[in-house]
Amino acid sequence: MANPPHGGILKDLVARDAPKRKQLAQEADQLPALVLTERQLCDLELIMNGGFSPLEGFLNQKDYEGVVEKERLTDGNLFSMPICLDVTKKDIEESKIKPGARITLRDFRDDRNLAIITVEDIYQPDKKKESEMVFGADDQAHPAVKYLYHTAGDFYVGGKIDAIDRLMHYDYVALRYTPAELRLHFDKLGWSRVVAFQTRNPMHRAHRELTVRAARQRQANVLIHPVVGLTKPGDIDHFTRVRVYQSILPRYPNGMAVLGLLPLAMRMGGPREAIWHAIIRKNHGATHFIVGRDHAGPGKNSAGQDFYGPYDAQHAVEKYRSELGIEVVPFQQMTYLPDSDEYKPRDEVAPSTRTLDISGTELRSRLKTGRDIPEWFSYPEVVRVLRESHPPRNKQGFCVFLTGYQNSGKDAVARALNVTLNQQGGRSVSLLLGENVRSELSKELGFSRHDRDLNIQRIGYVASELVKSGAAVIAAPIAPFKDSRNAARQFVEKYGNFYMVHVATPLAYCEATDRKGIYAKARRGEIKGFTGVDDPYEEPQEKERDLKVNVEETNVRTIVHQIVLLLEAEGLLEQL
């Protein structure tokens, strides 16, 4: 018998509203619609399938204040994370959102109507208070706090949900169990004691040993329940992680473990998040929950200190153990003993015993450089999956971004570098010259600040997609503004390395050697908004650029060699 859901009843709204699905679908087509963001979709999915039981909608103001201040809903149930439908003033006006209104909730990915919310209230939250009470600090180094201030709307809409349809997923469909489906699966297998393991990282041998040990000590089975919604920025993508989980599953003895995916949008809220995660796992039928060291921690705050203590999350869940009805299993730090070829909890190992460990930083370094990852640390099949997604440095994509005045020599450098990298081989090379991008990709744009920024954003986006597939990209726009250059960098650095080269040829030299006469036309007023004449150029400062060159002082061949040496030093051109 699976663990009873939080609040006593599983709020499976899709099953509850199935008899009136046709009427709801017809009604939704006639109502004003709100198109949901990715995080809102994650929240809605878990509201509708019962993962957030006892919630039946997005929190109204009274419930929100109770959760923020006391970790309680107005009905007295424990709930630690505010689940809110944030909107902007424009959303309120365009969708005619007001108390009593019924609003369709729509999926931004495919324009499907998923649910109807009956609005109870619209309220403006105190984001500073929410940051301090829920996340422990009003510090935008915390990703959830940053989201509150820079992404979330200024207003929250509370109200109950009528469910029309599930979200449509196209990946790992067989592993996406709803709480009701997972409970039925446990019942089919005859499992009555289930240890849930939450993770947003790949699993290695230590994780397998930890979960097997936890299950055996409690005569239970294991639910590997990774988050595949939104996790911490910079985490390994869920496609790679799920392939890892699938590859490690046969390593569990006698069908001990089941893999199920959780479409959760994490907040990285430490203690509060751990309580929330325990509630979610209870709703999925688990009887035990492994709470990690610094569980759901976001890292360092603005002062360079950890946001939460290493055991704050464990203490928070333990505090409500009887009320939660789920047993906390402390995450034990496992270490490898080479002399006996086994893993043991660190607190059970004598000080004189020889141990081996590989940190997360060391693992990432080994993946980047192609160095060996020993079998005592991870299984060969896991390493194989990770190497497919993390090729060695000399196979990774990168972007060289050249910026400078018109006729500064950046185009000549870009063309010469293109030839040099193509000669080397080993990866495709794409050249994005400013004039080509303008004619092929940004033909409709002018030279206003807005249009210039949009042009550079497009270059950054195209470069990021090419870098993601392992290409070398050479971009050479004028890119006169720091903000747009930084935006391009952020696009690319999601997938690979970005190197900014400031071609700092003096304006006087650029103008004196201009054989096309473009500067002369700009001086006569025939061309408006010309960088260096009547439009500014914000020079990249030392922290922004990776290399500064000057065509007046150094020839193109030498500059290209300097760029090649930079790339070689980064391990990207090891074949040269």
Side-chain angles (χ1 to χ4, degrees):
M1 183 84 179
N3 206 2
H6 193 53
I9 300 173
L10 186 68
K11 303 291 186 175
D12 187 339
L13 307 188
V14 175
R16 182 199 68 186
D17 297 336
K20 54 180 181 178
R21 179 181 179 278
K22 185 176 179 181
Q23 299 96 300
L24 288 171
Q26 291 172 345
E27 181 188 1
D29 283 333
Q30 308 304 316
L31 296 173
L34 192 62
V35 179
L36 301 188
T37 65
E38 191 169 7
R39 182 160 115 168
Q40 291 168 343
L41 284 174
C42 290
D43 288 348
L44 179 65
E45 181 166 12
L46 286 164
I47 290 171
M48 292 201 302
N49 70 20
F52 286 170
S53 295
L55 301 191
E56 295 182 74
F58 290 97
L59 297 187
N60 60 31
Q61 187 169 5
K62 286 185 178 179
D63 279 325
Y64 166 77
E65 289 172 351
V67 169
V68 169
E69 296 171 8
K70 303 174 184 176
E71 300 180 344
R72 297 276 171 190
L73 299 168
T74 53
D75 64 9
N77 272 304
L78 175 69
F79 209 88
S80 58
M81 193 63 63
I83 307 300
C84 304
L85 181 59
D86 61 283
V87 296
T88 64
K89 188 175 181 181
K90 182 181 178 184
D91 291 329
I92 293 170
E93 293 170 351
E94 290 185 351
S95 299
K96 300 175 183 176
I97 302 172
K98 60 184 179 180
R102 284 171 65 78
I103 308 294
T104 298
L105 302 182
R106 186 170 292 165
D107 191 331
F108 78 91
R109 303 167 305 168
D110 54 16
D111 284 335
R112 290 173 64 246
N113 295 332
L114 301 174
I116 298 173
I117 183 171
T118 301
V119 179
E120 292 179 28
D121 55 13
I122 306 164
Y123 54 100
Q124 193 161 10
D126 182 341
K127 293 187 177 182
K128 184 176 186 297
K129 181 178 180 181
E130 182 177 338
S131 299
E132 291 172 345
M133 300 205 73
V134 177
F135 303 112
D138 187 31
D139 183 344
Q140 293 189 37
H142 194 299
V145 176
K146 184 179 180 182
Y147 183 94
L148 268 180
Y149 284 109
H150 296 283
T151 305
D154 290 332
F155 300 88
Y156 291 168
V157 175
K160 298 286 181 66
I161 295 294
D162 288 310
I164 299 172
D165 213 345
R166 291 185 181 188
L167 276 74
M168 194 69 72
H169 293 288
Y170 299 95
D171 59 328
Y172 308 116
V173 176
L175 299 176
R176 291 180 177 273
Y177 295 99
T178 67
E181 290 167 346
L182 201 50
R183 287 167 167 275
L184 187 63
H185 191 58
F186 293 158
D187 187 55
K188 182 179 178 182
L189 295 172
W191 291 6
S192 59
R193 297 168 67 83
V194 180
V195 177
F197 180 59
Q198 142 92 25
T199 182
R200 37 170 262 270
N201 294 308
M203 290 177 67
H204 302 288
R205 188 173 164 185
H207 301 102
R208 184 265 185 197
E209 298 295 333
L210 163 73
T211 49
V212 168
R213 174 182 283 256
R216 282 176 172 164
Q217 287 175 348
R218 292 156 183 84
Q219 296 183 318
N221 291 89
V222 177
L223 168 62
I224 302 171
H225 211 206
V227 173
V228 296
L230 297 177
T231 60
K232 185 179 178 181
D235 281 351
I236 290 175
D237 66 276
H238 80 271
F239 299 105
T240 299
R241 291 190 288 110
V242 174
R243 290 196 295 272
V244 165
Y245 308 138
Q246 288 175 316
S247 70
I248 207 171
L249 204 59
R251 294 282 183 170
Y252 282 84
N254 305 315
M256 177 186 278
V258 161
L259 172 62
L261 308 184
L262 182 68
L264 177 70
M266 290 183 69
R267 272 61 162 179
M268 307 309 297
R272 287 264 194 152
E273 182 119 358
I275 296 168
W276 185 40
H277 287 177
I279 291 170
I280 293 167
R281 271 44 186 234
K282 180 185 179 184
N283 286 330
H284 282 81
T287 54
H288 299 71
F289 179 50
I290 297 175
V291 180
R293 186 180 183 276
D294 192 27
H295 186 98
K300 305 291 185 183
N301 60 22
S302 296
Q305 305 296 316
D306 289 334
F307 271 97
Y308 312 114
Y311 303 107
D312 288 357
Q314 292 180 6
H315 297 328
V317 180
E318 190 63 39
K319 176 183 174 182
Y320 297 110
R321 176 180 176 177
S322 59
E323 186 174 357
L324 282 169
I326 190 167
E327 184 180 324
V328 178
V329 179
F331 186 108
Q332 297 171 299
Q333 291 295 109
M334 307 292 286
T335 189
Y336 179 65
L337 281 58
D339 296 332
S340 55
D341 187 27
E342 64 178 333
Y343 274 85
K344 279 190 174 181
R346 281 186 182 165
D347 58 7
E348 296 180 16
V349 178
S352 60
T353 306
R354 191 163 67 99
T355 63
L356 293 174
D357 291 292
I358 291 179
S359 68
T361 302
E362 172 66 12
L363 174 63
R364 287 189 291 273
S365 173
R366 288 177 183 242
L367 285 170
K368 280 185 176 181
T369 59
R371 286 186 292 137
D372 179 58
I373 298 171
E375 285 194 35
W376 63 258
F377 176 78
S378 195
Y379 299 109
E381 56 269 34
V382 169
V383 174
R384 195 177 307 119
V385 171
L386 292 175
R387 290 211 186 280
E388 287 171 359
S389 299
H390 297 80
R393 292 284 282 170
N394 65 338
K395 296 293 183 184
Q396 293 171 19
F398 63 87
C399 174
V400 176
F401 190 96
L402 299 125
T403 173
Y405 289 116
Q406 171 75 24
N407 198 43
S408 63
K410 59 181 176 59
D411 286 11
V413 172
R415 289 190 176 97
L417 181 61
N418 180 46
V419 171
T420 300
L421 295 182
N422 272 306
Q423 174 185 302
Q424 180 210 4
R427 57 162 68 81
S428 63
V429 185
S430 294
L431 181 62
L432 302 176
L433 295 178
E435 59 187 28
N436 292 345
V437 171
R438 279 281 180 177
S439 62
E440 300 296 334
L441 191 63
S442 299
K443 190 177 293 185
E444 86 286 6
L445 297 182
F447 292 90
S448 67
R449 174 67 188 262
H450 173 269
D451 284 5
R452 285 181 183 273
D453 287 347
L454 185 55
N455 181 53
I456 300 304
Q457 285 177 27
R458 290 178 181 177
I459 291 173
Y461 173 74
V462 171
S464 73
E465 290 297 306
L466 292 167
V467 165
K468 181 166 67 173
S469 62
V473 180
I474 306 162
I478 292 173
F481 300 113
K482 178 181 177 180
D483 287 348
S484 58
R485 294 192 298 258
N486 285 342
R489 179 187 291 275
Q490 289 170 12
F491 269 123
V492 171
E493 287 185 341
K494 291 178 184 177
Y495 308 112
N497 291 97
F498 181 95
Y499 301 98
M500 184 174 294
V501 179
H502 179 203
V503 185
T505 308
L507 180 62
Y509 182 85
C510 297
E511 191 166 354
T513 57
D514 175 24
R515 293 176 178 171
K516 296 180 180 179
I518 299 175
Y519 278 96
K521 290 181 180 179
R523 295 291 181 192
R524 293 195 298 267
E526 296 173 22
I527 302 175
K528 301 293 184 183
F530 194 89
T531 302
V533 176
D534 59 349
D535 226 35
Y537 180 80
E538 298 172 359
E539 291 200 2
Q541 300 303 303
E542 189 172 353
K543 288 184 178 179
E544 184 188 0
R545 65 178 185 255
D546 297 281
L547 188 63
K548 183 179 180 179
V549 298
N550 180 349
V551 168
E552 185 181 19
E553 299 173 350
T554 311
N555 64 45
V556 168
R557 186 187 303 278
T558 301
I559 291 172
V560 168
H561 188 61
Q562 290 175 356
I563 297 172
V564 167
L565 289 176
L566 170 65
L567 298 173
E568 275 189 317
E570 294 286 313
L572 292 162
L573 301 179
E574 291 179 354
Q575 294 177 20
L576 279 183

